C-alpha cells in the first residue's frame, strides 16, 4: 500500500511546499511559539445485518484541515471542511486571532519527513473490496453463531472499515504523511433458554486487510466466541460481594489497566497536577512485578500508528518499570511545557479536534507464573475474563468496572459463572496489590475505542493473567 500521503494531498488539492509555508506564516502572523496544519481525508464504510437481513450499508467521506497556534500554554485552534488555500488561510487567521500575542519564533520552511515505520503493509484493504464480499462476511458470522447452539435466537453482525490519509505540516519544518487503514468485525447474539435471555459479544480487527478476516480471525471464530459467552451466562449465579482475591484473565481485561492506570500517566493530567501519579517519577507506584508500556509500533494493531497526529513517529515507552514510575505519555504541547521528550502520543479524533496526549497500545509485560498456578493459589475469589463498561476518576485513581464474564474461584478451581459482578478499587493501589503475573500476555482482539474530552480514538490494551490480592467485588448475592 502506498504511504505517500503527502503526494496525495499535493496532487488532489493542488498544494505546494510554498503554499504550506505561507499558511504556517499566516498562523504565526500575530505571534506564537509553534503552529501546525493537520490535513485529513477519510473514507469510512459500514454494513450490518440483523435478523438475517442486511439492515444498513453506509459510506461517508470526511475531509478538512485543522490549524493550531501555540503560545506558551495557550492554544488557538480553528478548522475548515474545505481543503483549499483560501479556506485554510482563513482558518489560520482565526487560530492566530485566538492565540495572539506579541513576538514569535522564526518560521522554518517545511521539508518532507520520510516515515521510517511501515506498520500496516496491507495488500487488499477492507475499504477497497466490493460490498457483496463484506455482506458475505457478516452472513458467515450470522450462520456460525446460529449454528453454535440452538438456544441462540438473535444475531447482529457488522463490518466497519476506513481509509484515512493524513498530512501534518509544522512551523519547525516538519512535513509528514501517513495512510492509515482500519477495519473491525463485530457480532453480538442473544441466547434464550425459556425466557432467560443472555447476551454475548465478540469482535476484532486492526490495521489489517481482508485476508485477516478471511484466513486469520474469521467471522466464524468471533461468532463462536459471542455464542459461547451468551450460553455460559444462562447458568450464571449471583456474584458474592466483598473484598477478595481477584484474578484477571489475559487480553481484554487490560482495559482496566488502560482506564485505571493509563489515563493517569498522560502528561496533560500530570502537568496540571490532577493525576494520582503526578510528581511520582522515580517513585514506586506498583508491585515490583509490574512493568507497563505503551507501544504504538506493533505491526497491524488497532492502536498502532506510523506517526501520531502531530507528525511524530510513535514509540515504545516504558511507563512503569519493575514497579517504578519512569515516564508519562506526551504530545508536543505538554512535552514542551514540562521540558520532557515527545513520545509520539499526540492524537486526535479528526481535523475538528486538537491533539491530546493519548494512549496507543497499553499493556503489562508478562511474568513467570503459569495461569494454572495462579488460579490454584486462590482459596476464594473471582476470575474475571471479559469486561463491559467502566468509570475512573483520574485525580483519585478510583475506578469501577463491570465484568461481562466472570467465575467464582473456590479452593483453587474455577467453578460457577457469575452475573452482575463489578470491580471497584484504586488504580495505583491495585497495582501495588499485584502478587502474581502470568507468562501468557495477550493483547485484545482489536476492538478498543478510547474516549477523552469528547474525542474517540482506536487503541489496544492487554495484560497477562494477573492476581490482585484484594479488591472490592460488588455483587448481587444476598
Amino acid at each position: 500500500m502506498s504511504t505517500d500521503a503527502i503526494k496525495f494531498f499535493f496532487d488532489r488539492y493542488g498544494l505546494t511546499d510554498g503554499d504550506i509555508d505561507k499558511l504556517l506564516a499566516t498562523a504565526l502572523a500575530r505571534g506564537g511559539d509553534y503552529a501546525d496544519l493537520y490535513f485529513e481525508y477519510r473514507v469510512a464504510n459500514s454494513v450490518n445485518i440483523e435478523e438475517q437481513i442486511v439492515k444498513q450499508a453506509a459510506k461517508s467521506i470526511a475531509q478538512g484541515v485543522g490549524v493550531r497556534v501555540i503560545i506558551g500554554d495557550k492554544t488557538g485552534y480553528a478548522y475548515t471542511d474545505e481543503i483549499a488555500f483560501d479556506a485554510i488561510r482563513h482558518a489560520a487567521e482565526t487560530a492566530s486571532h485566538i492565540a495572539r500575542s506579541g513576538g514569535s519564533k522564526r518560521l522554518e520552511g517545511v521539508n518532507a519527513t520520510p516515515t521510517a515505520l511501515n506498520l500496516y503493509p496491507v495488500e487488499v484493504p477492507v475499504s477497497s473490496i466490493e460490498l457483496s464480499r463484506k455482506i458475505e462476511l457478516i452472513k458467515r458470522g450470522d450462520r456460525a453463531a446460529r449454528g453454535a447452539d440452538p438456544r441462540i435466537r438473535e444475531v447482529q453482525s457488522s463490518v466497519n472499515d476506513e481509509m484515512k490519509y493524513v498530512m501534518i505540516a509544522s512551523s519547525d519544518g516538519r512535513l509528514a504523511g501517513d495512510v492509515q487503514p482500519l477495519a473491525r468485525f463485530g457480532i453480538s447474539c442473544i441466547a434464550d433458554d425459556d425466557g432467560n435471555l443472555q447476551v454475548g459479544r465478540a469482535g476484532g480487527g486492526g490495521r489489517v486487510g481482508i485476508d485477516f478476516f478471511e484466513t486469520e480471525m474469521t467471522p466464524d471464530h468471533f461468532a463462536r466466541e459471542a455464542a459461547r459467552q451468551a450460553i455460559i451466562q444462562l447458568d450464571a449465579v449471583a456474584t458474592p460481594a466483598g473484598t477478595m482475591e481477584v484474578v484477571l484473565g489475559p487480553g481484554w481485561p487490560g482495559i482496566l489497566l488502560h482506564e485505571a492506570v493509563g489515563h493517569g500517566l498522560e502528561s496533560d493530567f500530570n502537568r496540571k497536577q490532577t493525576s494520582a501519579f503526578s510528581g511520582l517519577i522515580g517513585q514506586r507506584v506498583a508491585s515490583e512485578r509490574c512493568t507497563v508500556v505503551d507501544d504504538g509500533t506493533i505491526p497491524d494493531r488497532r492502536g498502532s500508528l506510523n506517526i501520531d497526529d502531530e507528525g511524530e513517529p510513535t514509540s515504545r515507552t516504558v511507563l512503569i518499570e519493575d514497579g517504578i514510575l519512569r515516564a508519562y505519555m506526551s504530545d508536543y504541547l505538554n512535552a514542551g511545557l514540562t521540558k520532557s521528550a515527545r513520545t509520539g502520543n499526540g492524537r486526535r479524533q479528526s481535523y475538528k479536534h486538537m491533539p491530546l496526549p493519548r494512549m496507543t497500545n497499553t499493556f503489562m509485560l508478562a511474568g513467570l507464573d503459569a495461569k494454572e498456578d495462579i488460579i490454584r493459589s486462590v482459596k476464594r475469589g473471582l476470575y474475571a475474563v471479559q469486561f463491559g463498561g467502566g468509570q475512573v476518576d483520574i485525580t483519585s485513581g478510583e475506578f469501577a468496572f463491570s465484568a461481562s464474564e466472570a467465575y467464582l474461584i473456590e479452593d483453587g478451581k474455577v467453578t460457577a459463572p457469575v452475573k452482575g459482578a463489578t470491580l471497584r478499587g484504586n488504580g495505583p493501589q491495585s497495582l501495588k496489590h499485584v502478587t502474581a503475573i502470568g507468562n501468557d500476555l495477550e493483547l485484545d482482539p482489536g476492538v478498543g475505542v478510547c474516549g477523552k474530552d469528547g474525542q474517540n480514538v482506536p487503541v489496544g490494551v492487554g495484560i497477562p493473567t494477573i492476581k490482585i490480592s484484594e479488591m472490592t467485588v460488588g455483587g448481587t448475592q444476598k
Side-chain angles (χ1 to χ4, degrees):
M1 174 186 297
S2 170
T3 58
D4 197 347
I6 296 174
K7 185 175 187 303
F8 171 84
F9 283 103
F10 277 23
D11 290 351
R12 187 181 185 92
Y13 300 102
L15 297 169
T16 66
D17 287 351
D19 292 334
I20 300 298
D21 289 341
K22 290 176 184 175
L23 292 167
L24 287 169
T26 300
L28 290 176
R30 293 175 178 271
D33 301 319
Y34 173 88
D36 62 18
L37 312 172
Y38 177 82
F39 293 78
E40 177 184 352
Y41 178 87
R42 171 163 47 184
V43 179
N45 304 283
S46 66
V47 56
N48 66 62
I49 185 173
E50 296 178 27
E51 300 173 347
Q52 299 179 290
I53 299 172
V54 177
K55 289 287 187 178
Q56 183 182 39
K59 177 178 183 176
S60 64
I61 298 175
Q63 64 175 25
V65 182
V67 184
R68 178 174 62 158
V69 179
I70 294 177
I71 303 171
D73 61 353
K74 299 178 181 176
T75 299
Y77 195 81
Y79 68 87
T80 173
D81 297 328
E82 185 179 357
I83 304 180
F85 183 87
D86 287 343
I88 303 170
R89 182 179 61 187
H90 181 67
E93 290 171 347
T94 303
S96 174
H97 275 285
I98 294 171
R100 65 183 176 182
S101 74
S104 67
K105 291 188 176 180
R106 186 173 67 88
L107 175 67
E108 300 288 342
V110 295
N111 286 296
T113 305
T115 303
L117 298 174
N118 183 20
L119 300 175
Y120 15 91
V122 174
E123 292 187 4
V124 182
V126 177
S127 60
S128 70
I129 67 172
E130 58 273 23
L131 178 61
S132 59
R133 207 165 159 188
K134 297 178 188 178
I135 291 175
E136 177 50 33
L137 283 179
I138 56 178
K139 285 186 174 180
R140 183 176 166 183
D142 184 278
R143 291 192 297 268
R146 294 179 188 278
D149 192 288
R151 291 170 290 181
I152 298 298
R153 303 294 189 208
E154 298 182 17
V155 180
Q156 297 181 15
S157 64
S158 62
V159 171
N160 293 275
D161 64 79
E162 69 176 41
M163 184 65 74
K164 183 164 71 171
Y165 295 75
V166 300
M167 181 175 75
I168 302 99
S170 58
S171 57
D172 57 6
R174 185 189 302 267
L175 180 61
D178 196 19
V179 183
Q180 300 166 350
L182 190 66
R184 181 172 70 172
F185 176 87
I187 187 166
S188 66
C189 55
I190 297 176
D192 183 352
D193 186 9
D194 196 23
N196 179 11
L197 304 178
Q198 299 296 334
V199 179
R201 297 183 177 87
R207 303 194 182 279
V208 296
I210 187 61
D211 58 315
F212 176 85
F213 298 104
E214 292 184 335
T215 61
E216 293 184 46
M217 300 295 281
T218 65
D220 307 68
H221 165 81
F222 293 121
R224 288 192 293 268
E225 172 60 18
R228 183 194 65 81
Q229 291 180 24
I231 295 299
I232 282 177
Q233 290 301 310
L234 292 174
D235 297 321
V237 300
T239 305
T243 300
M244 63 185 73
E245 288 184 304
V246 172
V247 176
L248 303 180
W252 179 243
I255 188 63
L256 193 150
L257 179 73
H258 169 104
E259 297 288 1
V261 178
H263 278 297
L265 298 177
E266 293 167 340
S267 59
D268 50 349
F269 296 126
N270 288 282
R271 176 175 65 83
K272 299 172 184 174
Q273 300 288 304
T274 57
S275 166
F277 294 97
S278 297
L280 298 181
I281 293 288
Q283 297 187 33
R284 179 167 298 285
V285 296
S287 159
E288 63 183 7
R289 299 168 182 263
C290 297
T291 295
V292 178
V293 304
D294 182 84
D295 191 347
T297 69
I298 306 172
D300 305 328
R301 295 296 306 176
R302 183 172 169 82
S304 295
L305 292 167
N306 290 322
I307 56 173
D308 71 2
D309 294 325
E310 297 178 314
E312 180 78 7
T314 56
S315 63
R316 179 183 174 94
T317 304
V318 177
L319 303 170
I320 298 172
E321 183 179 32
D322 299 330
I324 306 299
L325 181 59
R326 296 299 187 194
Y328 302 125
M329 293 167 277
S330 284
D331 63 345
Y332 177 89
L333 174 64
N334 290 283
L337 293 174
T338 59
K339 309 299 182 187
S340 59
R342 295 169 68 176
T343 57
N345 289 94
R347 304 189 64 188
R348 63 181 107 195
Q349 178 174 315
S350 77
Y351 64 91
K352 298 180 179 180
H353 302 84
M354 287 192 291
L356 300 167
R358 308 292 297 270
M359 286 172 271
T360 57
N361 305 297
T362 310
F363 51 93
M364 181 182 293
L365 298 190
L368 300 175
D369 301 302
K371 172 183 171 181
E372 295 75 15
D373 292 338
I374 295 175
I375 298 291
R376 195 176 297 121
S377 69
V378 177
K379 179 69 174 177
R380 176 180 176 273
L382 191 77
Y383 178 44
V385 295
Q386 294 289 342
F387 281 92
Q391 294 180 328
V392 62
D393 183 328
I394 301 299
T395 302
S396 66
E398 300 292 329
F399 65 82
F401 279 87
S402 61
S404 57
E405 182 182 355
Y407 302 83
L408 296 174
I409 303 177
E410 299 171 293
D411 295 326
K413 296 180 180 178
V414 175
T415 58
V418 298
K419 56 186 174 184
T422 60
L423 299 181
R424 300 178 183 275
N426 177 279
Q429 291 302 317
S430 296
L431 282 183
K432 291 178 180 176
H433 290 149
V434 173
T435 55
I437 299 181
N439 55 12
D440 55 350
L441 169 64
E442 291 182 14
L443 300 183
D444 76 283
V447 296
V449 176
C450 172
K452 177 180 176 181
D453 287 359
Q455 296 191 41
N456 295 319
V457 297
V459 296
V461 301
I463 54 170
T465 298
I466 64 173
K467 183 173 78 171
I468 300 171
S469 60
E470 57 180 82
M471 183 174 284
T472 301
V473 175
T476 56
Q477 188 179 89
K478 299 181 179 178

